Amino acid sequence: MRFALSGLLALLLVLPVGAQPASDRPSDDLLAREDVQAVVEAQVDRDRAALREALDADVPAVRARAAHALASVPDTSAIPALLSLLTDGVPLVRTDAAFALAQMPGGVPADRLLEVLRYERDEAMQRRLIETLGRTGDAASQDALLALGLPSSRDTDVALALAHYGRRGHADSSAAAWLVEHLTAESAAARRHAAYALGQVAALARQPSARPDTIRHALDGYSSGDPAAQHLIRALGRLEAPADTRRLVDWLRSGTDWRTRVEAARALGGRDTAAARTALVQALDDDHALVARTAAETLARLDWPADTQTAVGVWLDAHPDRWRVGAPLLEGWARNGSPGRVRRALRRWQDEQSSFAVAAALPALAPVEAAWADSLLATASRADDPRVAAAAVRGLAARWDRVRPDRADRTFRLLSAAARRGNPALLYHAAPALTDSLFAARGAADTLAAAYRTLPLPADLEGMTAILDALASIGGAPARTVLERALDNPHPAVRRAAAEGLSSITDSTVTAARRPLAETMPLDWGFLNTLGPAPRLTLETTQGTVVLELDTEQAPQTVQAICRFARAGRYDGVPFHRVVPNFVVQGGDFARRDGFGGPDLFLRTEITRIGHRRGTVGMASAGRDTEGSQFFVPHSLQPRLDGGYTSFGTVVRGMDVVDQLRVGDRIETATVTPTD
C-alpha cells in the first residue's frame, strides 16, 4: 500500500498557525482526509508493514500520522526510518517521529537523538527529543544531556527526563544535583517538575548530592499552596529522617493545597511518634475527605498507645456514618487489640445495607483471631455483591498468613469456593492465595484449572490472567496443561501470561505464537465526523458537573466508544469504584460496577501526545489492547503513565468536583456535545 496523494501544501492548509491543543500536536484534519484515515485503520489493525511503508509517503500528513501510529504499535524495525524523519522539513513529522521513538522497547541510538537536539530549534521537537532520551537513553546519554547547556525554557522537560532515567535505574549524583539546584528555579513549572523527579525516584532523593538540608530549605521557602511542595514532601518522606517530623506536621496542618496535605499525612507513616499520631488524629477532621481518609490509613499502620485509642474512639463515636475514614481506622483497632470496635461497625453498616462500607471494613478482620471473625469472613465471601465477596476473600488471604497451618482445610475450602465462582474480582485475591504450598497439596491447581475453563473473553480477562499467574507459581502437570493450552488463546494478554508462566516452570524461554488480534470496535468515520475534533462529554455526578473535552484526532476509536456508551445511557448511575488520593479517580465500569467489568469487546491502546497531567482523561486497562469502558482522571502530575495508557481528553470544567469524588459517588448522567 502506498500512502501518497497531495504533498506539502495539503498539510500546511490544515495546520492553523497559533493555538494548538493541550497535547502540542497540531491538527492533521483526520476527519476529512481518507489518506490519513487509512493510516489510522492500519494502526487499529496493527498492520506494521503498512505503517512502515507510510513513513515514506510523499504527503507529510501521512508520514506524520504513520509515525504517530507507531507509538501505539511499537516496531523496532521501523527505528531507522523514524530516525531519518527526525530531520524532516515539516515539524509535525519530526515531532511525531521523536514521539514514536520514545515508545520503542529498545534499539534507539542516543547519539543520534543528541545530535539532532543540538541543532533543533522547534520547541515541540526539543521537548520530544528530551523525553525520548529520558525514556530510552543510557547513563552516558544522561550526562551528555545535562552537558548540552540547554536554555532554561527546557528545564521542565529535562527534569521529567531525569525522572524517566531514574525509573529505569539511571539515578546518579549529577542528575540529583541538577534537580536540587532547580528546586528554587524562577519558573514554577521547573520547580514542580524537579520536585516531582526527586519525589518519584527514591534513588535520586537518596543521592549524596541531593543534600537533604537543601531540599528542606527549598521546601521551607515554598508558599503553602505551591504544588511543588507535595512532591518534595514525598521525597522527605522517603528519607525517613526523624528531624523532619515537625516540618511534615506543619505542612499537614497548614498546606492550602489538599494534595500537599495528603502527602504530608503519608510521609508521617514512617514516624511513629506522639507528634505524628496527634497530627494524624486531628487530620481526621480535615475539610477535604481525601486528606482525612489518608490520615486514617496512615494512622492505622501505627502503634496506638492509650491516648491515641481514646482519641480515635471519640472520633468514631462522633462520626458513625463516615465509613470512608472509619474503615481504615478499624484496621488500626484490630491491629491494636480492640476487635469489638470492628464488629460493631460492621454490624451497623450491614444493617444499613451499605455494601461499599462493608467491603471497606472487612479486611480489618484479618488480624482478629476470634470465631465470630471467621464466621463473618466466611459468610461475606459467599455474598452476592462482588465488592463484599472480594473484600472478604482479601481478608481470608491476609488472615491465612496469621493463622496457618491449623486452619488450612477450612481456608482452602473457602478460597476454592470463591475461585470456582469465576468472578474476576474474587479470583484477583483468591488465585494468589491458593499458591501456598499447603493449598497446592490440597488440589489448588485443579481448582484453578476448573475455574479457568469457565471463563469467557473479554469479560473475564483479568480472572484468566490471575489464574495463569497462580498456576505458574504452583507448577505440576495440571498447571502445565492449562498454560500450554492458553498459548493458543485468541487474546495476546492471555498468551503472554501463559508463555511467561511456562518459561518460569520449565526454566526456558517459551514464546507464544502470533494470532489474529481479538475483535475490536470498527472505526465509523461518519459517526466521528458528527462528533467533530473536540466533542465534550458532560458528567453530572453526585458531587457536581464535570466537563471533558475529548481529542477525536489522536484517539478516534476511544472517543468513538466513550461517546457511544454515553449516548446509550450506559454510564448513567455508574459509580466511581476507585479513588486513590493524589493519584486518580476511576469509574466507567457499567458491566459489573466493581472495577472488573467492561463492554463485550476490547479497544486498542491509542498512545497519544496528551501527557498524563492533572485533569487528563485516560483509559484503564489490564495490559496493551485491553481497554474497555473504564476511564480515570489524575489529581496531579503523572508522566510515568505516559506511553502505557490511552490519554484521550482533558477536564475543561469541574476539576474541583473531580477532587471531591469518593468511592461510591456516581455518574448520574453522561451527555455528549459535538463540536464543529
Side-chain angles (χ1 to χ4, degrees):
M1 187 185 306
R2 180 80 177 171
F3 296 86
L5 284 177
S6 54
L8 177 61
L9 179 60
L11 180 64
L12 296 178
L13 289 175
V14 300
L15 297 184
V17 177
Q20 294 184 352
S23 69
D24 86 6
R25 188 179 196 274
S27 171
D28 57 12
D29 207 17
L30 170 68
L31 299 181
R33 297 187 56 159
E34 292 185 2
D35 55 348
V36 182
Q37 291 172 9
V39 179
V40 176
E41 296 279 3
Q43 174 185 333
V44 171
D45 292 339
R46 298 314 197 222
D47 187 342
R48 290 173 170 80
L51 295 176
R52 289 195 302 271
E53 182 181 354
L55 292 175
D56 193 38
D58 294 335
V59 181
V62 173
R63 295 199 301 276
R65 178 57 74 158
H68 189 271
L70 283 165
S72 301
V73 194
D75 180 1
T76 54
S77 67
I79 289 176
L82 290 168
L83 289 170
S84 70
L85 294 180
L86 294 180
T87 53
D88 193 282
V90 178
L92 179 59
V93 178
R94 300 201 301 274
T95 51
D96 276 339
F99 172 63
L101 288 167
Q103 317 309 322
M104 294 297 159
V108 179
D111 288 348
R112 176 60 176 156
L113 300 175
L114 288 162
E115 178 186 355
V116 174
L117 180 58
R118 285 188 183 94
Y119 302 103
E120 179 62 58
R121 293 296 174 263
D122 181 84
E123 291 192 357
M125 181 60 172
Q126 291 174 345
R127 183 179 307 116
R128 292 298 164 190
L129 287 168
I130 294 168
E131 177 190 15
T132 304
L133 283 164
R135 290 186 172 278
T136 65
D138 57 12
S141 72
Q142 179 176 236
D143 292 339
L145 173 63
L146 293 177
L148 282 179
L150 295 171
S152 60
S153 58
R154 299 275 68 83
D155 285 350
T156 296
D157 308 317
V158 172
L160 288 186
L162 295 180
H164 293 316
Y165 273 116
R167 275 193 289 269
R168 295 188 299 108
H170 304 307
D172 64 19
S173 182
S174 59
W178 188 97
L179 292 167
V180 168
E181 179 185 344
H182 286 78
L183 292 177
T184 54
E186 184 176 346
S187 163
R191 290 198 306 273
R192 183 170 67 252
H193 287 69
Y196 167 83
L198 289 167
Q200 280 290 313
V201 184
L204 284 169
R206 291 173 181 152
Q207 287 290 327
S209 60
R211 302 191 302 276
D213 284 343
T214 305
I215 292 177
R216 294 179 183 114
H217 178 72
L219 178 61
D220 291 346
Y222 290 165
S223 69
S224 63
D226 192 328
Q230 63 187 287
H231 305 298
L232 270 198
I233 285 171
R234 178 175 289 190
L236 287 181
R238 292 182 183 279
L239 298 177
E240 298 185 350
D244 289 321
T245 300
R246 174 51 57 189
R247 181 174 284 102
L248 295 173
V249 166
D250 289 344
W251 277 98
L252 176 58
R253 289 172 174 164
S254 62
T256 55
D257 186 325
W258 70 268
R259 300 169 300 169
T260 297
R261 301 199 301 279
V262 161
E263 295 302 332
R266 285 186 177 136
L268 286 171
R271 296 163 173 79
D272 201 349
T273 65
R277 289 190 297 268
T278 298
L280 290 167
V281 170
Q282 291 172 346
L284 299 177
D285 288 316
D286 193 281
D287 59 7
H288 198 288
L290 297 185
V291 178
R293 171 183 152 186
T294 305
E297 291 170 341
T298 303
L299 191 59
R301 294 191 295 270
L302 303 180
D303 293 330
W304 294 359
D307 60 337
T308 302
Q309 293 193 35
T310 299
V312 174
V314 168
W315 190 93
L316 282 170
D317 289 340
H319 305 88
D321 299 323
R322 291 188 62 186
W323 61 266
R324 293 175 181 86
V325 179
L329 292 175
L330 296 183
E331 295 191 39
W333 276 115
R335 281 187 63 258
N336 287 280
S338 298
R341 285 274 184 183
V342 182
R343 189 177 191 180
R344 289 195 296 274
L346 271 169
R347 281 178 172 171
R348 180 175 64 251
W349 292 333
Q350 285 174 324
D351 291 343
E352 295 170 356
Q353 297 183 329
S354 176
S355 60
F356 279 107
V358 172
L362 280 169
L365 294 177
V368 179
E369 297 189 20
W372 62 265
D374 291 336
S375 178
L376 271 175
L377 286 171
T379 300
S381 71
R382 297 187 288 269
D384 292 334
D385 190 306
R387 298 182 200 88
V388 173
V393 172
R394 175 185 158 198
L396 286 168
R399 186 174 178 73
W400 168 244
D401 290 338
R402 295 172 176 270
V403 302
R404 68 182 197 173
D406 56 313
R407 300 180 191 174
D409 287 334
R410 184 175 187 276
T411 304
F412 175 68
R413 286 195 301 272
L414 291 170
L415 292 174
S416 295
R420 284 194 296 269
R421 290 175 62 176
N423 186 299
L426 304 185
L427 284 166
Y428 182 81
H429 298 290
L434 285 168
T435 62
D436 188 283
S437 59
L438 289 177
F439 297 151
R442 287 166 168 77
D446 292 329
T447 294
L448 292 171
Y452 180 86
R453 289 191 289 270
T454 69
L455 302 181
L457 283 171
D460 294 327
L461 174 65
E462 289 186 80
M464 296 172 79
T465 55
I467 289 177
L468 294 176
D469 290 344
L471 288 173
S473 296
I474 295 172
R480 186 163 181 166
T481 297
V482 174
L483 290 165
E484 287 173 344
R485 290 176 179 170
L487 284 174
D488 195 43
N489 190 276
H491 199 278
V494 177
R495 296 199 302 276
R496 183 166 54 249
E500 291 173 356
L502 284 169
S503 297
S504 175
I505 288 176
T506 62
D507 196 23
S508 63
T509 301
V510 177
T511 304
R514 287 189 175 274
R515 288 202 51 184
L517 288 168
E519 181 183 357
T520 192
M521 178 181 289
L523 290 168
D524 183 340
W525 296 110
F527 177 74
L528 288 167
N529 266 287
T530 67
L531 295 177
R536 293 201 166 189
L537 177 66
T538 300
L539 306 178
E540 297 294 345
T541 78
T542 47
Q543 293 289 346
T545 303
V546 181
V547 181
L548 319 175
E549 184 174 276
L550 311 185
D551 193 325
T552 307
E553 291 193 342
Q554 288 204 69
Q557 190 192 49
T558 302
V559 171
Q560 173 181 296
I562 294 296
C563 290
R564 280 186 165 160
F565 296 151
R567 285 188 169 175
R570 302 190 75 177
Y571 286 131
D572 296 356
V574 173
F576 292 94
H577 61 270
R578 182 182 184 223
V579 178
V580 182
N582 202 24
F583 181 40
V584 296
V585 173
Q586 186 171 323
D589 177 4
F590 51 64
R592 286 194 171 97
R593 304 193 174 206
D594 62 356
F596 286 88
D600 57 0
L601 51 73
F602 295 112
L603 303 177
R604 301 285 191 252
T605 302
E606 295 178 295
I607 302 302
T608 75
R609 282 167 56 175
I610 306 170
H612 288 87
R613 308 296 187 262
R614 174 170 167 81
T616 298
V617 189
M619 290 296 286
S621 77
R624 189 167 288 269
D625 297 335
T626 63
E627 288 80 1
S629 62
Q630 294 185 39
F631 58 87
F632 61 83
V633 179
H635 292 129
S636 56
L637 186 69
Q638 300 295 336
R640 63 193 176 94
L641 303 180
D642 293 353
Y645 297 86
T646 299
S647 47
F648 65 101
T650 307
V651 174
V652 293
R653 183 162 62 86
M655 194 60 206
D656 57 330
V657 175
V658 174
D659 286 344
Q660 297 298 327
L661 289 171
R662 305 159 301 170
V663 169
D665 283 330
R666 300 182 310 281
I667 299 170
E668 295 182 325
T669 61
T671 56
V672 177
T673 304
T675 56
D676 296 332

